[in-house]
Amino acid sequence: MTEPAFIDLRFDRSLYAGPAIDEAVKVFAAHGEFHMSEETDTWVVKLRALRPGPARTRRLAHELANYALGLTVQRGGA
Amino acid sequence: MSAATHAPMDLVAIRPQAGTQAFFRHRQVGEHVLVTNFEGNFLLLTQAEFTRYATGSVAPDSELFTRLSSANFLRASYDVRKAAEAVKARRGFLHAGPNLHILVVTLRCNETCIYCHASRANMDRVDTDMSKETAEKAVELALRSTSPFITIEFQGGEPLVNFAVVRHVCEYAGRRARELGKQLQFTMVSNFSLMDDEKLAFLVAHRVQLCTSIDGPEQLHNAQRKLPTMDAHQRAVHWIRKINQRYIDMGLDPTLYHVEALLTTTAASLPLWRQIVDTYVSLGCKALFLRPIDPFGFADRTRLRLEYPRSAYLEFYRNAVDYMLELNRQGVQILERYAGIFLTKILRGEDPNFLDLRSPAGAGIGQLAYNYDGKIFSCDEGRMLHEMGDSRFLLGDVRTSSYRDLVGHETVRAMVLASNLDGQPDCVNCTYQPYCGTISTFNYKNQGSIFGRMRESSVCAVHKGIQDYLFEKLAARDPHVLATFERWTTHRPREHFVQEPTSSPTTSAPPVQSPAEP
Amino acid sequence: MQSSYPDIPAGLVAHDLTDAAVELRVDPAIYPLQAVYGAAYIFIDRCYVFLDRPAADALRVTLTAKSGQADVGALRALIGEFANELISCAWRHQITQDNRVLLETVTLQAIAGAMGPPSLDDLASFDFSDQGFDDPLGIAMSWEEKHGKKPPPATTSEPTGDTTGDTTGNPTSGHGVEEPTP
């Protein structure tokens, strides 16, 4: 069985709060493998679900992004 | 009868010029133009008069100038002090806390209603009964309110199912209110099917105002409110007549003291406007509240079957109220409650403190709802949403929360802000803003946020449609209609229902939803 | 994203049926970011929402159906409702700024009127240990303490490093996001 592919989630730093992304990754840590890095304007989260299947990885990415957005809004923005 | 259609006014052709007018909003109502100002004064102008006003060409010695000036529509003569007094009168409710305290003494109910708002439980679910201890704690919180008037409303489920707690609350709260010097009244919303002479004797002796649901004629009522015996209507009518007779026997004025009945308007109701009005009149009811169905409780699941376009509702409303006005002309006294609320604001410059039709709305600051298990919500709709699985409007618990925790809760603050029409798109420009209100829980349930979007809100459409109708009637100046409207805005307090009145309260916030009586 | 809708000006909306996603390009000169946040937040319970900047002068909102499936009409309806919410939030943002004093005054009066003064019981349970003697305005501080050299501001926490597998966090903010069940 091949390893599931990673998805890159690229969060614009002017739109998402860094701590919100940190917190979101912690919340979903049990369900996936995450590698975090930063570029000039972007937080990058490379992720894949622990259990195989591209649909699972996509869903994990979507849930993570929603969670990060929710926390960002609750903080009052980026 | 539908609203008459008139060609829309051509504002471009009028070429308005700012400068002489004080702040105003305008709306075409039939062949007139309605203008309202910041403090809620209104004038109905002809299009020619509006053109003169909007272009700043009203002659100073004209009758129109006098009318505009005395109603505070002109900048040069704007009376700030008068405006401030008017705003103060309209927002008197801001100075006192919740006066409506809803006690859900059980979720159990013996009737199965196709639109049930209350998230009912079956009769074997004794675990959904409120305990006496919980009820006492709820009463203590209610009596902490800064409002000098407290109304405790028994709801369910069917409150007669847990009558022991109703009885206990009447005795306990009555005693505590006397000790604390609070004015207290009780109301109960019941289907009456479990009423008996002993319970009635207790309720009458303890001055509990009784309300029931009547959906209209027998066939419609029994199809929508189902008992195993299929005689919900007959039972309700039996007790309505018996209770009304009891009040007469006690020497109480039957035009003031009678069972209040509540209507839920479903799709099946719409063609039956005349029969519904006739049913209420025949039962001795003096008021009918033409409430549209709402999305809470089980109603949501069956909505497709029960819902209807708001235009159809407004047609129903116009037909029913036209008929009620005709009956009044013939000497029958029957009031439409929505009209009474709006007209009190429009004609009297006062707020009757109907909690869903004020700005800001009453959730948390005008009412609190106590669930059977002691959980406390901003309003009854918030409690229903909790029963549907969404606890967004949960404020606390009778065991752990202080009164100030509840009314100062961040959810209450958010709801106050969200229901203030001065912060609401569309409402800020709406001619009806001084008389209107929005409901955060309804907006949240239907549009995803407590703010909502008024242009797409069915409640907004209903409010605008009703006010259009009322202002058309005011513009028509039929003396019989104006005399009826005058009666509909004359408040007659039901002092008998106040528990052994104490000394006069020091603040002037009126009791909740105090009904105007015809 | 593959196609746009004929009833919407070109380049504003596109959808992708494979991903059940629809995107809206937003001009930040018209819609302030706070309005975009407000509208986006309202939609996170019914779809997945992602924000990015495809260009320096543009924001993009991507909505993806949680079910993973949606037809053209459903995506059109979704983005249409979002656009309505967005314009409502933008206007509310402006009104709130314009009427801030009025809104705050009424809210303050409403809450204060409802709460009333604290009772002796309230005061008895009040925590006077530290919080009551905090000095947020620095009134009790000396001039030197108040205006002297300040320590460097604390750095904001940023996402760093890798997190893999075995740590679990507790969502404490409670905005109702479902956890995946892979």
Side-chain angles (χ1 to χ4, degrees), chain B residues 241-308:
Chain B
R241 295 196 193 289
K242 190 161 185 168
I243 294 162
N244 288 348
Q245 186 58 50
R246 181 71 57 90
Y247 290 143
I248 291 171
D249 296 343
M250 292 166 68
L252 297 170
D253 176 0
T255 65
L256 201 53
Y257 296 98
H258 48 262
V259 172
E260 288 286 327
L262 299 167
L263 173 78
T264 299
T265 309
T266 65
S269 317
L270 299 181
L272 300 177
W273 47 269
R274 183 186 296 268
Q275 292 91 325
I276 289 169
V277 174
D278 286 341
T279 301
Y280 272 68
V281 171
S282 72
L283 291 173
C285 296
K286 305 299 177 193
L288 171 53
F289 198 162
L290 297 172
R291 299 180 308 162
I293 198 163
D294 71 28
F296 299 100
F298 288 166
D300 198 38
R301 298 188 202 164
T302 48
R303 181 188 249 178
L304 288 176
R305 190 152 50 92
L306 303 172
E307 260 286 19
Y308 36 80

Side-chain angles (χ1 to χ4, degrees), chain B residues 369-430:
Chain B
Y370 307 78
N371 212 0
Y372 67 93
D373 56 0
K375 288 190 168 61
I376 306 168
F377 298 87
S378 58
C379 51
D380 200 36
E381 291 79 6
R383 177 193 67 82
M384 293 177 201
L385 281 170
H386 169 76
E387 293 296 341
M388 295 164 77
D390 185 340
S391 301
R392 185 77 54 164
F393 301 98
L394 174 63
L395 304 181
D397 191 292
V398 296
R399 295 163 199 84
T400 53
S401 302
S402 75
Y403 168 76
R404 285 164 59 86
D405 289 342
L406 299 170
V407 295
H409 195 281
E410 60 182 3
T411 298
V412 174
R413 293 204 302 273
M415 294 173 88
V416 170
L417 270 171
S419 62
N420 188 332
L421 302 186
D422 287 315
Q424 185 71 264
D426 202 36
C427 301
V428 289
N429 291 340
C430 180

Side-chain angles (χ1 to χ4, degrees), chain C:
Chain C
M1 295 291 165
Q2 295 162 345
S3 63
S4 59
Y5 293 95
D7 60 330
I8 298 175
L12 283 181
V13 172
H15 69 263
D16 183 339
L17 286 177
T18 309
D19 283 347
V22 58
E23 65 181 39
L24 171 70
R25 206 174 164 101
V26 175
D27 183 345
I30 299 173
Y31 299 101
L33 181 55
Q34 288 301 325
V36 177
Y37 279 143
Y41 191 77
I42 287 169
F43 274 68
I44 61 175
D45 63 343
R46 65 186 95 168
C47 59
Y48 298 118
V49 186
F50 190 77
L51 309 179
D52 68 343
R53 288 188 192 275
D57 60 349
L59 282 169
R60 180 168 53 199
V61 181
T62 305
L63 308 179
T64 304
K66 286 194 173 180
S67 64
Q69 292 181 327
D71 60 24
V72 174
L75 292 175
R76 174 67 183 81
L78 185 64
I79 206 66
E81 195 180 357
F82 182 85
N84 279 1
E85 187 63 57
L86 182 59
I87 202 163
S88 184
C89 287
W91 189 11
R92 180 175 302 112
H93 180 73
Q94 183 61 45
I95 293 166
T96 304
Q97 289 184 329
D98 293 347
N99 290 353
R100 180 173 293 279
V101 172
L102 185 59
L103 294 169
E104 288 180 348
T105 304
V106 170
T107 303
L108 182 68
Q109 181 60 62
I111 299 294
M115 288 180 78
S119 67
L120 288 176
D121 286 345
D122 292 323
L123 292 173
S125 61
F126 192 77
D127 178 10
F128 286 103
S129 54
D130 284 321
Q131 198 178 4
F133 296 99
D134 274 356
D135 184 22
L137 299 179
I139 292 166
M141 292 167 72
S142 70
W143 180 263
E144 289 75 15
E145 284 174 318
K146 195 169 180 178
H147 298 289
K149 188 179 178 184
K150 293 175 180 156
T155 52
T156 52
S157 107
E158 295 181 343
T160 50
D162 292 351
T163 310
T164 306
D166 58 354
T167 58
T168 55
N170 290 319
T172 54
S173 52
H175 52 56
V177 180
E178 291 177 13
E179 287 197 26
T181 51

Side-chain angles (χ1 to χ4, degrees), chain A:
Chain A
M1 185 183 290
T2 56
E3 283 286 296
F6 279 94
I7 286 180
D8 275 1
L9 267 178
R10 305 177 65 80
F11 295 102
D12 191 293
R13 292 170 74 143
S14 69
L15 300 175
Y16 289 85
I21 296 168
D22 260 348
E23 180 64 23
V25 169
K26 282 183 195 164
V27 165
F28 290 98
H31 302 293
E33 181 182 344
F34 301 87
H35 301 281
M36 301 160 74
S37 58
E38 56 184 283
E39 297 174 1
T40 308
D41 298 323
T42 319
W43 312 116
V44 183
V45 180
K46 192 182 191 69
L47 65 97
R48 66 179 172 190
L50 288 182
R51 293 173 64 188
R56 291 182 190 282
T57 295
R58 267 201 308 276
R59 183 171 177 204
L60 182 61
H62 282 313
E63 293 284 0
L64 177 84
N66 251 19
Y67 202 89
L69 178 60
L71 290 182
T72 297
V73 174
Q74 287 181 349
R75 294 169 61 92

